[in-house]
């Protein structure tokens, strides 16, 4: 067991060094731990299926396993089943290694890498949870006007933000929930029908919560980001808690969280706000 733990530490150290060397491309490999922890704790994936449509090196999927080890209890000892897809061959290989080293079956991320939009390798998957930090504002993506995932509208060719969000929603089962990090522009953009897509998702009671995050959380970009929290069932039988959330959207301003490390990066701290706890508190106080 000690050898496995040592391998894990060496792997994580190697990832950090790789990100430092490759600069902006480092964001391709790993979501900051404070962000990953909060995204997973919002969802509380103790069991079921967890899916990441652009899984990178598998950090969010590993975080789901860690959540169960910390909070799951004996009845959830096996934890959730994890699934994912990654477009970059080397990053996909890292994800396979990362999951295996952390005792999580890597079969769920497939036998090969592929573009999520051009070749969905998990077409029939219906997950209990979707957690994702896809690339922000990408303009080079496999746009398909007839993609059934785009039920709320076809996103513009120059920005895939709402393609990722609708893909996440399409992978949820009847009582599923998702947390997806996007650029802040997704909250107010009006270009080429994005406002209509956003309005349709809200009107369909799919959007439960929006969280404004601070800037500089990601080494690869300084732009501010936000979390979209989705749920397919916002009635009292769906989202956790006794309240009926239909017709309501909770907004959380977390732009002051964390602290700067140097001039280019902000990290979460143990003294900073916990988004998972804040969302739960917001639900209870608004009930």
């Amino acid at each position: 067991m000690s050898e496995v733990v040592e391998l894990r530490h060496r792997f994580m150290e190697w990832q950090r060094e790789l990100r430092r060397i490759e600069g902006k491309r480092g964001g391709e490999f790993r979501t900051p731990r404070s962000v990953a922890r909060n995204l997973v704790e919002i969802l509380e994936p103790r069991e079921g299926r967890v899916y990441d449509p652009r899984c990178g090196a598998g950090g969010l999927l590993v975080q789901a396993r860690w959540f169960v080890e910390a909070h799951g209890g004996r009845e959830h000892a096996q934890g959730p089943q994890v699934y994912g897809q990654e477009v970059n061959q080397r990053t996909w290989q890292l994800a396979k290694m990362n999951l295996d080293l952390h005792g999580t079956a890597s079969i769920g991320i497939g036998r090969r890498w592929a573009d999520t939009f051009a070749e969905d390798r998990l077409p029939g998957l219906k997950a209990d949870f979707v957690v994702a930090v896809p690339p922000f504002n990408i303009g080079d993506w496999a746009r398909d006007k007839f993609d059934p995932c785009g039920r709320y509208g076809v996103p513009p060719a120059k920005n895939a933000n709402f393609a990722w969000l609708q893909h996440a929603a399409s992978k949820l089962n009847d009582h599923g929930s998702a947390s997806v990090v996007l650029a802040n522009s997704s909250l107010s953009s009006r270009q080429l029908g994005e406002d209509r897509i956003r309005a349709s998702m809200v009107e369909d009671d799919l959007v439960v919560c929006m969280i404004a995050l601070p800037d500089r959380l990601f080494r690869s970009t300084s732009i501010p980001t936000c979390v979209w929290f989705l749920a397919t069932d916002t009635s009292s039988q769906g989202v956790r808690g006794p309240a009926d959330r239909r017709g309501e959207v909770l907004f959380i301003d977390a732009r002051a969280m964390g602290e700067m490390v140097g001039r280019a990066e902000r990290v979460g701290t143990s003294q900073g706000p916990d988004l998972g706890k804040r969302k739960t508190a917001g639900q209870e106080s608004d009930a």
Side-chain angles (χ1 to χ4, degrees):
M1 181 63 70
S2 60
E3 293 180 354
V4 173
V5 172
E6 178 64 21
L7 280 173
R8 291 178 186 173
H9 288 315
R10 288 182 178 273
F11 178 78
M12 294 174 73
E13 289 174 1
W14 178 71
Q15 277 189 303
R16 285 193 290 268
E17 180 63 15
L18 190 63
R19 291 198 312 278
R20 186 189 67 79
I21 293 172
E22 298 208 350
K24 289 191 174 182
R25 288 191 60 199
E28 174 183 322
F29 293 97
R30 183 172 176 269
T31 298
R33 182 177 296 181
S34 60
V35 177
R37 177 179 61 83
N38 277 297
L39 290 179
V40 170
E41 290 190 352
I42 287 172
L43 296 179
E44 299 182 4
R46 289 182 169 83
E47 58 186 359
R49 295 180 173 185
V50 179
Y51 170 62
D52 183 347
R54 181 67 185 270
C55 67
L60 291 173
L61 300 177
V62 169
Q63 189 69 41
R65 179 63 187 177
W66 285 348
F67 174 83
V68 173
E69 291 178 357
H71 307 287
R74 292 183 179 180
E75 67 273 22
H76 302 295
Q78 296 301 315
Q81 297 172 292
V82 299
Y83 299 85
Q85 188 162 329
E86 171 56 39
V87 67
N88 182 284
Q89 177 184 1
R90 182 172 58 170
T91 312
W92 172 82
Q93 291 170 333
L94 286 173
K96 298 280 281 188
M97 185 187 305
N98 196 10
L99 291 171
D100 288 337
L101 284 174
H102 287 89
T104 302
S106 63
I107 190 173
I109 62 172
R111 296 184 177 182
R112 63 184 296 271
W113 57 98
D115 185 322
T116 303
F117 296 129
E119 184 184 354
D120 185 354
R121 301 284 293 175
L122 298 164
L125 177 67
K126 288 296 181 180
D128 300 276
F129 308 97
V130 175
V131 57
V133 185
F136 306 139
N137 300 327
I138 61 170
D140 181 17
W141 64 286
R143 186 173 185 259
D144 181 359
K145 293 182 179 180
F146 304 102
D147 186 350
C149 293
R151 58 175 294 192
Y152 298 103
V154 181
K158 295 183 179 181
N159 197 313
N161 285 344
F162 282 95
W164 289 114
L165 198 62
Q166 290 188 89
H167 177 83
S170 74
K171 291 296 185 180
L172 294 174
N173 62 25
D174 291 340
H175 297 283
S177 55
S179 54
V180 182
V181 176
L182 296 176
N184 254 8
S185 58
S186 63
L187 298 175
S188 58
S189 59
R190 295 179 176 273
Q191 62 175 343
L192 300 174
E194 287 185 327
D195 53 340
R196 292 191 294 272
I197 297 174
R198 181 172 55 247
S200 295
M201 296 181 75
V202 171
E203 291 168 2
D204 202 25
D205 280 322
L206 184 62
V207 181
V208 177
C209 178
M210 295 178 179
I211 305 174
L213 299 177
D215 59 3
R216 298 182 182 179
L217 283 176
F218 297 86
R219 283 178 177 241
S220 57
T221 179
S222 62
I223 65 173
T225 54
C226 61
V227 182
W228 288 69
F229 181 62
L230 312 177
T232 51
D233 184 0
T234 56
S235 70
S236 57
Q237 304 301 315
V239 179
R240 294 181 304 276
D244 188 330
R245 294 293 164 189
R246 286 174 291 187
E248 299 180 3
V249 178
L250 174 65
F251 292 90
I252 296 177
D253 185 353
R255 288 175 295 179
M257 70 175 286
E259 62 182 23
M260 294 298 297
V261 176
R263 296 182 178 180
E265 185 179 9
R266 185 185 299 271
V267 298
T269 64
S270 58
Q271 290 77 30
D274 186 304
L275 297 185
K277 291 180 180 178
R278 289 187 69 175
K279 183 176 186 305
T280 301
Q283 288 179 331
E284 293 172 352
S285 63
D286 196 38

